[in-house]
Amino acid sequence: MRRVVITGRGTVNALGRDVPETLAAMRAGHSAIGTLELRDLDRLSIRIGAQVRGYDETKHFGRAELTFYDRATQFAILSARQAVAEAGLENDPDLADRAGVVLGTSGGGLTTQDENFRAVYEAGKNRVHPFVVPRLMANAAASHLSMLHDLRGPALTVSTACASSNHAIAQAAQIIRAGMADVMLTGGAEAMLCFGGVKAWEGLRVLSSDTCRPFCATRSGMVQGEGAGVFVLEDRDRALARGATVFGEIVGVAMNADAADIVAPSRDGAARAMMAALRDAGLPAGEIGYVNAHGTGTAANDRTECAAIRDVFGHAAQDVIVSSTKSMHGHCIGATGAIELLACLMALDEGVVAPTANWRAADPECDLDVVPNVARKIPVAACLSNAFAFGGMNAVVVLARP
């Protein structure tokens, strides 16, 4: 199989409008969680989230473009622009048939859907815009990236709830490994912080009303976020031949199902996914210096994931560093794994592990080194990125220093 490296990065999220801003916020342990700015906020029980604040879509896109671009698609396009520019692949006409895109999303154009439900059911309108469907469809962002960057190879969308972007990254890596493409844009995008999106999550009774404190004894639930993360994956030989900067190598991936429960996490499923990813990478657990945890800030997820990590790492579990950056950028659902991949690359490149912010007190069932509140300077040669979704769908990515 061919080796797969990362040669471009891009993001828009609550911590920053690009990669440098996001990494600076992660190093500082800054939490972007705050009061939401939404219509009908008074009708919501949960009024906090990690929102991309002060965002003006008209500064980035023209009126005709905005006819087709939901907020989630906009975040994906802006992130992809950064990634493609950083990779130096903006003007490569020979690449088109050997390049593609796999993006993850859970809700797709949920903001568009929410706005049009209002128009029909609240305002009583009998017609909606003719482009509502192409604006809200789950594959909209992937389709626009293929058109904007002339990507004529494999192009698809993955929708597996909170594991969507990790699944997308794993699929993109496998496509390159298999020789179906040389370059892939991949990651995820989500914009679920609209009235309907928050109201739906309220019904699950898993949201915090103050902040996100993963692995903390005083945790009160998860906090929604929004944004996108997009990466350029490339065949390693091709990247080295053209002198590209390599930020990390994807050395292993795994995807599996709990086949157990639609919402409850599975210790066995999570452990099997991590072990399968390590087998794919050809690495023993002892080689992993950092685990970017799914770490949602709910008791069920945090305790189940910690137990699974102990199963995988055994006695060495006390030595592995684990943190959840959802404490800073929120749970970005279908985009969350892509944004968290940036923390993994920072650990590999800079030897800086992002902290678990907002942490207050130890939970005896989460007795791992969770890097409370302050970033840690420590060399990391390889790391795991975990994503465990509703429906029992798991995706784990193993990255190594280039």
Side-chain angles (χ1 to χ4, degrees):
M1 289 188 298
R2 301 192 303 172
R3 295 168 66 177
V4 181
V5 296
I6 299 170
T7 56
R9 309 158 300 166
T11 189
V12 174
N13 64 82
L15 291 175
R17 302 294 176 85
D18 56 26
V19 172
E21 282 185 12
T22 299
L23 296 185
M26 287 181 175
R27 288 186 212 103
H30 170 68
S31 178
I33 296 167
T35 303
L36 290 170
E37 298 172 1
L38 291 180
R39 182 178 173 184
D40 291 335
L41 189 65
D42 59 318
R43 292 182 57 201
L44 294 172
S45 301
I46 301 299
R47 301 175 184 177
I48 63 166
Q51 200 168 21
V52 178
R53 300 182 186 279
Y55 174 73
D56 182 354
E57 60 187 19
T58 63
K59 291 184 177 179
H60 303 285
F61 305 104
R63 184 175 177 180
E65 293 173 310
L66 290 172
T67 301
F68 292 99
Y69 297 168
D70 180 85
R71 187 175 174 94
T73 296
Q74 294 171 36
F75 291 158
I77 291 171
L78 294 175
S79 300
R81 283 179 186 171
Q82 298 170 25
V84 170
E86 184 173 63
L89 293 174
E90 292 167 295
N91 300 299
D92 192 347
D94 297 328
L95 186 61
D97 291 339
R98 298 290 300 166
V101 53
V102 184
L103 277 190
T105 188
S106 180
L110 201 61
T111 302
T112 295
Q113 182 173 294
D114 196 57
E115 291 169 351
N116 282 274
F117 277 152
R118 283 186 180 276
V120 173
Y121 294 115
E122 183 179 87
K125 294 183 179 180
N126 291 323
R127 295 179 63 186
V128 296
H129 196 282
F131 295 144
V132 166
V133 169
R135 186 180 164 99
L136 65 77
M137 62 189 186
N139 63 298
S143 296
H144 284 295
L145 293 193
S146 72
M147 292 184 285
L148 290 168
H149 298 284
D150 195 24
L151 310 175
R152 303 180 190 178
L156 62 144
T157 295
V158 178
S159 186
T160 49
C162 313
S164 297
S165 53
N166 264 28
H167 270 118
I169 292 164
Q171 293 279 18
Q174 293 290 58
I175 286 170
I176 294 175
R177 280 176 162 187
M180 294 174 65
D182 298 325
V183 173
M184 295 291 292
L185 276 186
T186 190
E190 203 78 84
M192 204 173 278
L193 289 179
C194 56
F195 179 82
V198 177
K199 182 60 73 177
W201 276 92
E202 278 186 358
L204 285 165
R205 300 182 182 179
V206 296
L207 296 182
S208 170
S209 59
D210 57 1
T211 195
C212 181
R213 293 187 293 276
F215 309 121
C216 177
T218 66
R219 70 171 73 76
S220 53
M222 61 167 272
V223 174
Q224 283 180 266
E226 64 177 358
V230 176
F231 301 88
V232 174
L233 303 192
E234 190 167 353
D235 169 61
R236 180 178 179 271
D237 290 344
R238 184 185 191 281
L240 295 179
R242 70 182 186 88
T245 299
V246 173
F247 298 99
E249 181 174 358
I250 295 179
V251 294
V253 298
M255 300 168 276
N256 74 359
D258 295 340
D261 192 276
I262 197 67
V263 290
S266 164
R267 172 178 178 173
D268 172 69
R272 285 189 293 106
M274 286 185 274
M275 289 188 286
L278 289 170
R279 284 196 301 272
D280 186 49
L283 292 176
E287 293 292 315
I288 300 298
Y290 170 52
V291 176
N292 184 282
H294 191 58
T296 62
T298 65
N301 174 89
D302 292 359
R303 291 170 178 172
T304 300
E305 186 170 12
C306 285
I309 290 171
R310 286 193 292 270
D311 289 343
V312 172
F313 289 87
H315 295 300
Q318 300 304 318
D319 299 322
V320 68
I321 296 171
V322 180
S323 74
S324 171
T325 56
K326 288 182 178 69
S327 57
M328 296 184 276
H329 53 68
H331 193 338
C332 300
I333 318 298
T336 200
I339 295 167
E340 290 164 6
L341 198 72
L342 292 169
C344 292
L345 293 176
M346 181 174 74
L348 295 173
D349 181 48
E350 303 178 26
V352 175
V353 172
T356 303
N358 307 314
W359 191 91
R360 295 178 182 173
D363 177 350
E365 294 188 56
C366 296
D367 58 343
L368 302 175
D369 183 351
V370 298
V371 196
N373 301 319
V374 180
R376 181 97 39 93
K377 184 76 174 176
I378 185 169
V380 174
C383 59
L384 286 182
S385 177
N386 286 345
F388 308 129
F390 278 175
M393 296 184 174
N394 308 314
V396 177
V397 178
V398 186
L399 296 107
R401 191 184 300 154

